[in-house]
Amino acid sequence: MAAADSTDTLVSIQGVTKDFGGTLAVDGIDLEIRRGEYFSLLGGSGCGKTTLLRMLGGFETPTSGRIMIDGQDMADVPAYRRPVNMMFQSYALFPHMSVAQNVAFGLEQEKVVKSERDDRVAEALSMVQLGEYGRRKPHQLSGGQRQRVALARALVKRPKLLLLDEPLAALDRKLREKTQFELANIQVKVGITFIMVTHDQEEAMTLSDRLAVMNAGRIIQVGTPGDIYEFPANRMVGEFIGTINVFEGTADLADGSVHCPALPCPIVLEDKIAADPESQVAIGIRPEKMRIRKAGSAPSEAAPASNFLTGKVEDIAYLGDLSIFHVRLADGRIVQVSRTNTTRRRDEPLTWEDTVEVEWDPQAPVVLHQ
Amino acid sequence: MTDTAADRVADSPALSASRGRLIGILIPTAWLLLFFAIPFLFVIKISLSEAAYSVPPVSDFLIWQDGWPVLQATWANFALILDDPLYLQALLGSLRIAAISTLLTLLIGYPMAYAIARAEPGMRTPLLLLVILPFWTSFLIRVYAWSTLLQDQGMINSALMWLGVIDDPMRMLNTEFAVQLGIVYSYLPFMILPLYATLERLDGSLLEAAADLGARPATTFWRVTLPLSLPGVAAGCLLVFIPAAGEFVIPELLGGPDTLMIGKVMWQEFFNNRDWPVASALATILLLLLIVPILLLDRTQSRAEQG
Amino acid sequence: MRRGSFLTLCLWAGFAFLYLPIIVLIVYSFNASRLVAVWGGWSVKWYGELFRDPQVLGAASMSLQIAAISATVAVVIGGLAGYALSRFGRFRGRTGFSTMLTAPLVMPEVITGLSLLMLFIAMEGLVGWPAGRGMTTVIIAHITFAAAYVAVVVRSRVAGLDRALEEAAMDLGARPLTVLRRITLPMLMPGLLSGWLLAFTLSLDDLVIASFVTGPGATTLPMLIFSKVRLGVSPDINALATLIVAVVASGVLLSGWIMLRAERRHARQVRAAFRREGAMDGN
Ligand SMILES: Nc1ncnc2c1ncn2[C@@H]1O[C@H](COP(=O)(O)OP(=O)(O)OP(=O)(O)O)[C@@H](O)[C@H]1O
Ligand SMILES: [Mg+2]
């Protein structure tokens, strides 16, 4: 928790807690965000993402803990003096002002002279491709246009940090995908640090340099999208981002394998497990890291001694690029296996009620804590 | 009640940190304390004093006897009120008339509010405006208009006689009926507005869901619409009942000598008999009777805001 | 269908009930005869009588002044109170604060009037102000109950105002006073205006409270009307009522028409904006 004010840290959140008269919305969060980073907060509804963001913006006071931005303690800095701007989820465009007046509002507060103000407003509006729309009122714009005005209004102040609360939530799917790329391009162009809240894991993975997964007011894991997907710290993260099959078993220190009652043979991991002998561990394996085939169609005759299971196909979801198989094991549990549809085929060799064999490599399983 | 220092925990720091927040609470608080809450204390004080031939016509509350202050409080005014059937009748009569009128207002107002809430969205505002419009014209004049309508030679009697329904004019003016009519007429907008507010918010898909599940319109009304509009019913009834119980103008202009209502009796004690202590004692009793409904109204409103 | 027509019937019967007395008043204001029961032909002589009566003109101007001043102060006090109730969350003393704002809405006027008079007399004895009773005391009394009504109007208006708008302004560097001036007040303006009109009407309408707290020389219009009405039928009151109705109705119709026009234009612009966006996305 040392205030590591190294030059590349922009935001440092230290032991921050927010208590809304009994509800712990944010529960002791420590987090460092680097300069120029696109950082996302991801988590289920009500886990405290908005609250954390609002504390950074200065709209809520932390019950305890410290927030430093650019080495400065924010405790006594009101919202209107913070080098931070926020893009509100509802966009919060002033309905009685035109688009240009909305964008100019923040510059007026800084007493930027009129000529420079006009230039910067025009520049910001053209950056979000709304150069022609300055004289419109917000109600004369569509949802996507409003979203871009809100972005221009926040960016025109050239803040050190931009906070975005579910910036794309109000847009339909197609427009959202298009806007995601625009957002990423703009962030690279202006070089401002972005912190974005989102529900949408795909959006977080696409846009972020790093992301934090939150649950019940705490941060469960911080890392790059790759880290978080491939090495989820626990079962909750694994299940929140993508799909994961979880097997519980006992660790055997002698060979570093894990014995699961549900599986016919042990799971062997590439990184030898370092748990207490006989202790319960949970192992996660992503569906795409497993291979599926019809029983008896294997080239080798003997069943493998590890990393292997058999079951019956219960359900098949054909998604075009992928097919997802729900395989029922002997004890009734379901394992999901996905297969990339690399070849075009008329008759799918695997069908319902087929007995199948599933296997994976030793680097596929990952230990899930807690 | 007096302590209204801003609490910094609950809200956005920039606002709570500013003095604006304190000002926003302190100015109205100070005004209402001084000109609304504290005056009741003086009423209570006068109600415990004796009438006197002086200006003002009450004896001093505190007198000095041999260098010592002596409190001259007396329960005599309250005792008089409880003894004299006139006052008790007036009190009970007010509550009865207010209750009956409130019920009638509800029965007339509910269908109107419901009709407006179910009208086309574009029509709702004009219809509401039609409900409120009479309220913007002088209350006194509207009550007076009823007194001319209800006269023995008034339009209603003339019309009924012309139609042959009655042979001799019905006595309507200066009766309790006229007072109830006047209350219903004057307070109808106060019933319709809160009812409309709850009925309009009622999600139309709830009614469709009830119908989908096989409920007939009447059942839907009893099981879905009415229960969901109860907060509006409560607010509307309290908004009518409380002021009606202390009404003066309506019984004065439309009621007869035997229509006893506490507001009118109090007015007479104060202006005609110049008996301030008894008038104050009556006001105190009425206030005590109305405190619970007033607190109820406050709770309904706060709950409506949260919900 | 049947229920719909039953409701419609109720609605129009209700409106007939509300408007019947007003229509009768208007018609009789043009009655040449002094007697209500007798139709003496059309005449505008009561209007002439009204305008020649110095008492009526004096009371009307007194009432208008009182109403204008008390409505203006009530908007400030009630506006602050309504904003505080809607936006300041929980503060200590909130329950008492809210009760003090609700109670004046329904408090029987005889109680409010009597208690204020007792206060004024006691204050005069203690601090020498207000010296005697008259216009000032009536204004104070009217501010008090009108502020409660304004608070209701402003409170619901603030509740409908997206809080993020004020936060966004602050986020863009506006200090609290600037937020108030540039964002909050302009957005609340319709609420404040209707609050002012409401307070103005309430003050113009009040008989009971003013009767208690007024003094010699400060006769308001309702007090004058009341004394005339108590004496019996006075047709010039019908003329006065008709004038009031005419002013109010034309005001309401005018503002209604302006609002309707603005709404239509707004709807057209929104539709246009979406058509354009749709065309852009299509490419
Ligand atoms: N002003 C407030 N008063 C009381 N409780 C609050 C307040 N704001 C938020 N909370 C509570 O704090 C918790 C976290 O809320 P927050 O809005 O931060 O969640 P979130 O992660 O943004 O959720 P969502 O994804 O649904 O937007 C919730 O339980 C919420 O009910
Ligand atoms: Mg949120």
Side-chain angles (χ1 to χ4, degrees):
Chain A
M1 217 192 286
D5 272 353
S6 66
T7 44
D8 70 338
T9 300
L10 179 69
V11 181
S12 166
I13 299 169
Q14 300 163 8
V16 165
T17 297
K18 177 72 191 181
D19 186 347
F20 283 116
T23 345
L24 264 186
V26 168
D27 185 7
I29 282 189
D30 293 298
L31 189 61
E32 310 245 301
I33 289 155
R34 300 176 197 137
R35 223 173 272 281
E37 190 166 42
Y38 199 131
F39 193 92
S40 294
L41 292 168
L42 192 59
S45 196
C47 69
K49 308 177 297 281
T50 299
T51 308
L52 183 59
L53 211 64
R54 287 171 59 82
M55 286 193 284
L56 290 172
F59 304 114
E60 307 281 2
T61 329
T63 312
S64 64
R66 209 155 61 128
I67 293 175
M68 314 272 288
I69 295 178
D70 214 11
Q72 197 195 351
D73 190 337
M74 288 289 125
D76 294 318
V77 183
Y80 52 87
R81 285 215 211 88
R82 295 196 181 194
V84 172
N85 282 116
M86 177 135 168
M87 211 188 106
F88 289 80
Q89 182 171 356
S90 61
Y91 307 148
L93 298 179
F94 308 131
H96 57 302
M97 297 183 192
S98 70
V99 166
Q101 282 168 336
N102 262 284
V103 178
F105 185 89
L107 298 176
E108 282 169 35
Q109 308 311 316
E110 286 176 13
K111 309 258 180 318
V112 175
V113 294
K114 175 125 180 37
S115 54
E116 188 194 339
R117 203 164 69 207
D118 291 347
D119 291 346
R120 279 171 67 177
V121 169
E123 182 195 7
L125 282 177
S126 73
M127 182 170 67
V128 296
Q129 295 151 32
L130 286 175
E132 310 295 305
Y133 290 72
R135 301 173 60 154
R136 291 274 187 88
K137 285 280 180 70
H139 69 252
Q140 296 167 292
L141 300 178
S142 70
Q145 293 168 335
R146 282 182 214 177
Q147 188 266 348
R148 303 209 295 270
V149 176
L151 185 63
R153 187 177 73 174
L155 285 175
V156 77
K157 303 243 322 172
R158 298 179 188 153
K160 288 178 181 155
L161 175 63
L162 184 71
L163 308 172
L164 306 102
D165 192 354
E166 308 199 25
L168 310 176
L171 307 183
D172 66 51
R173 192 184 170 80
K174 225 179 116 195
L175 194 57
R176 192 158 69 212
E177 279 168 8
K178 192 176 112 189
T179 317
Q180 277 176 9
F181 286 104
E182 283 177 11
L183 209 54
N185 288 339
I186 287 173
Q187 197 258 344
V188 170
K189 195 153 64 183
V190 295
I192 292 171
T193 310
F194 278 28
I195 301 181
M196 177 178 81
V197 161
T198 175
H199 263 126
D200 182 343
Q201 44 134 331
E202 219 170 281
E203 188 171 295
M205 305 276 279
T206 319
L207 290 171
S208 334
D209 296 320
R210 287 195 309 150
L211 54 91
V213 181
M214 289 181 68
N215 186 32
R218 294 164 184 272
I219 286 188
I220 309 296
Q221 193 176 5
V222 183
T224 62
D227 283 345
I228 290 195
Y229 187 79
E230 301 297 352
F231 303 98
N234 65 16
R235 189 171 177 154
M236 182 250 143
V237 175
E239 283 173 349
F240 190 77
I241 297 192
T243 313
I244 198 160
N245 296 302
V246 180
F247 302 100
E248 272 120 13
T250 22
D252 179 350
L253 270 198
D255 58 356
S257 67
V258 175
H259 295 271
C260 304
L263 299 182
C265 52
I267 296 175
V268 173
L269 291 85
E270 190 181 51
D271 308 318
K272 294 284 179 268
I273 195 151
D276 293 334
E278 306 294 308
S279 74
Q280 287 295 121
V281 290
I283 300 294
I285 308 174
R286 299 272 185 200
E288 77 279 4
K289 300 205 167 44
M290 297 170 130
R291 291 181 299 274
I292 188 168
R293 63 168 181 266
K294 215 170 184 148
S297 65
S300 68
E301 57 291 339
S306 65
N307 292 351
F308 171 79
L309 59 81
T310 59
K312 266 203 169 97
V313 174
E314 165 114 349
D315 217 340
I316 307 171
Y318 175 72
L319 302 181
D321 51 349
L322 295 175
S323 290
I324 296 173
F325 298 89
H326 288 211
V327 177
R328 181 180 287 280
L329 304 189
D331 68 345
R333 70 158 68 213
I334 301 283
V335 170
Q336 289 193 41
V337 183
S338 70
R339 187 195 63 200
T340 315
N341 294 327
T342 45
T343 54
R344 181 192 283 165
R345 43 187 137 197
R346 270 266 144 66
D347 31 70
E348 169 66 54
L350 285 177
T351 178
W352 293 278
E353 295 302 317
D354 275 354
T355 304
V356 289
E357 295 171 345
V358 174
E359 64 175 358
W360 57 89
D361 296 334
Q363 78 269 20
V366 55
V367 180
L368 302 172
H369 297 283
Q370 179 252 326
Chain B
M1 194 154 166
T2 53
D3 187 3
T4 53
D7 184 348
R8 297 190 47 158
V9 183
D11 220 57
S12 60
L15 267 180
S16 65
S18 75
R19 265 154 297 160
R21 203 180 138 100
L22 208 60
I23 292 171
I25 295 172
L26 279 187
I27 290 181
T29 305
W31 184 281
L32 288 166
L33 271 181
L34 178 59
F35 293 117
F36 187 73
I38 292 177
F40 295 134
L41 299 180
F42 289 100
V43 173
I44 294 170
K45 186 191 128 180
I46 303 286
S47 75
L48 297 172
S49 309
E50 275 176 56
Y53 290 102
S54 61
V55 178
V58 277
S59 65
D60 272 335
F61 201 59
L62 267 185
I63 57 166
W64 294 87
Q65 228 168 34
D66 308 329
W68 290 97
V70 178
L71 202 59
Q72 287 287 84
T74 167
W75 292 104
N77 306 306
F78 289 96
L80 176 72
I81 291 170
L82 295 178
D83 266 356
D84 191 332
L86 169 89
Y87 298 116
L88 275 182
Q89 272 173 25
L91 267 172
L92 294 177
S94 298
L95 297 181
R96 190 189 68 240
I97 292 175
I100 295 173
S101 316
T102 304
L103 194 64
L104 292 173
T105 316
L106 178 64
L107 290 179
I108 297 175
Y110 200 106
M112 289 181 74
Y114 194 68
I116 299 174
R118 290 281 151 266
E120 279 171 48
M123 282 305 291
R124 289 179 202 162
T125 313
L127 288 175
L128 267 188
L129 219 56
L130 274 181
V131 171
I132 306 168
L133 201 57
F135 172 80
W136 295 84
T137 67
S138 170
F139 161 67
L140 200 52
I141 289 178
R142 279 179 296 132
V143 176
Y144 156 74
W146 275 110
S147 78
T148 62
L149 276 172
L150 294 174
Q151 277 175 5
D152 286 355
Q153 307 85 27
M155 248 187 58
I156 294 178
N157 268 317
S158 315
L160 289 178
M161 288 199 295
W162 182 77
L163 285 172
V165 180
I166 49 174
D167 297 328
D168 298 312
M170 257 197 305
R171 184 160 164 265
M172 287 184 288
L173 190 59
N174 303 335
T175 62
E176 194 173 305
F177 163 74
V179 175
Q180 280 161 1
L181 182 86
I183 292 176
V184 171
Y185 179 77
S186 308
Y187 288 95
L188 194 55
F190 290 94
M191 180 66 82
I192 294 181
L193 290 182
L195 280 176
Y196 169 78
T198 51
L199 286 170
E200 194 247 359
R201 244 180 295 149
L202 195 87
D203 189 352
S205 62
L206 290 179
L207 306 184
E208 287 167 11
D212 182 67
L213 297 170
R216 305 168 138 275
T219 317
T220 306
F221 178 79
W222 282 108
R223 299 285 306 277
V224 181
T225 312
L226 191 62
L228 284 172
S229 64
L230 281 183
V233 172
C237 287
L238 290 166
L239 281 172
V240 174
F241 177 82
I242 301 168
E247 185 54 58
F248 161 72
V249 172
I250 297 171
E252 172 72 15
L253 293 183
L254 302 179
D258 53 341
T259 324
L260 288 175
M261 282 189 79
I262 193 73
K264 189 172 147 188
V265 172
M266 214 193 100
W267 176 285
Q268 284 165 349
E269 289 295 342
F270 186 86
F271 286 102
N272 306 356
N273 304 346
R274 304 233 344 121
D275 193 338
W276 291 17
V278 167
S280 299
L282 285 171
T284 308
I285 292 174
L286 183 57
L287 186 62
L288 288 176
L289 287 175
L290 294 181
I291 277 183
V292 172
I294 290 175
L295 290 179
L296 273 178
L297 176 66
D298 189 40
R299 292 307 103 83
T300 10
Q301 285 185 332
S302 306
R303 217 170 307 135
E305 187 154 279
Q306 286 156 15
Chain C
M1 191 67 226
R2 214 174 45 94
R3 203 160 68 113
S5 51
F6 169 71
L7 281 176
T8 316
L9 191 73
C10 286
L11 187 61
W12 292 110
F15 284 141
F17 173 56
L18 281 176
Y19 284 92
L20 173 74
I22 295 174
I23 292 164
V24 169
L25 275 188
I26 294 174
V27 171
Y28 275 106
S29 76
F30 297 103
N31 185 3
S33 162
R34 175 168 281 278
L35 296 172
V36 184
V38 183
W39 180 254
W42 295 94
S43 156
V44 290
K45 71 175 174 187
W46 305 117
Y47 290 85
E49 207 158 280
L50 194 66
F51 284 112
R52 277 191 299 277
D53 189 342
Q55 258 190 320
V56 169
L57 295 181
S61 106
M62 168 70 63
S63 272
L64 288 174
Q65 285 176 51
I66 289 173
I69 298 172
S70 52
T72 308
V73 182
V75 162
V76 176
I77 294 175
L80 285 174
Y83 189 84
L85 272 179
S86 185
R87 273 296 151 81
F88 289 175
R90 268 186 227 126
F91 50 85
R92 263 181 287 148
R94 189 195 151 101
T95 317
F97 186 71
S98 133
T99 310
M100 276 205 302
L101 278 166
T102 306
L105 301 177
V106 288
M107 187 61 70
E109 293 162 318
V110 281
I111 297 182
T112 313
L114 179 72
S115 58
L116 267 170
L117 174 63
M118 297 307 157
L119 173 84
F120 290 141
I121 290 174
M123 276 174 72
E124 192 179 11
L126 290 172
V127 298
W129 184 89
R133 278 159 300 287
M135 199 169 149
T136 317
T137 47
V138 177
I139 289 174
I140 292 175
H142 284 185
I143 291 169
T144 308
F145 75 84
Y149 279 88
V150 174
V152 172
V153 175
V154 171
R155 184 182 183 176
S156 70
R157 184 89 199 168
V158 174
L161 184 69
D162 186 2
R163 180 180 212 136
L165 289 174
E166 286 158 284
E167 287 175 350
M170 221 180 308
D171 183 73
L172 295 167
R175 305 163 134 275
L177 268 184
T178 315
V179 177
L180 182 73
R181 191 171 49 83
R182 300 267 328 257
I183 310 296
T184 315
L185 280 182
M187 307 273 331
L188 286 184
M189 207 32 99
L192 294 174
L193 256 175
S194 58
W196 191 91
L197 278 175
L198 185 62
F200 187 84
T201 324
L202 287 167
S203 165
L204 215 51
D205 226 18
D206 168 62
L207 164 74
V208 176
I209 295 174
S211 299
F212 276 98
V213 301
T214 192
T219 304
T220 62
L221 195 57
M223 286 157 69
L224 187 74
I225 297 174
F226 186 60
S227 64
K228 278 175 178 264
V229 164
R230 265 221 286 210
L231 290 178
V233 182
S234 38
D236 50 340
I237 295 298
N238 295 344
L240 182 62
T242 307
L243 287 178
I244 295 177
V245 171
V247 170
V248 169
S250 46
V252 168
L253 286 180
L254 188 72
S255 58
W257 181 67
I258 291 173
M259 257 162 31
L260 199 70
R261 228 181 37 161
E263 223 161 81
R264 290 232 174 98
R265 199 176 48 219
H266 182 165
R268 246 198 332 270
Q269 286 165 342
V270 170
R271 271 199 307 275
F274 276 87
R275 259 204 307 281
R276 223 168 287 117
E277 175 79 356
M280 254 171 52
D281 286 346
N283 299 338

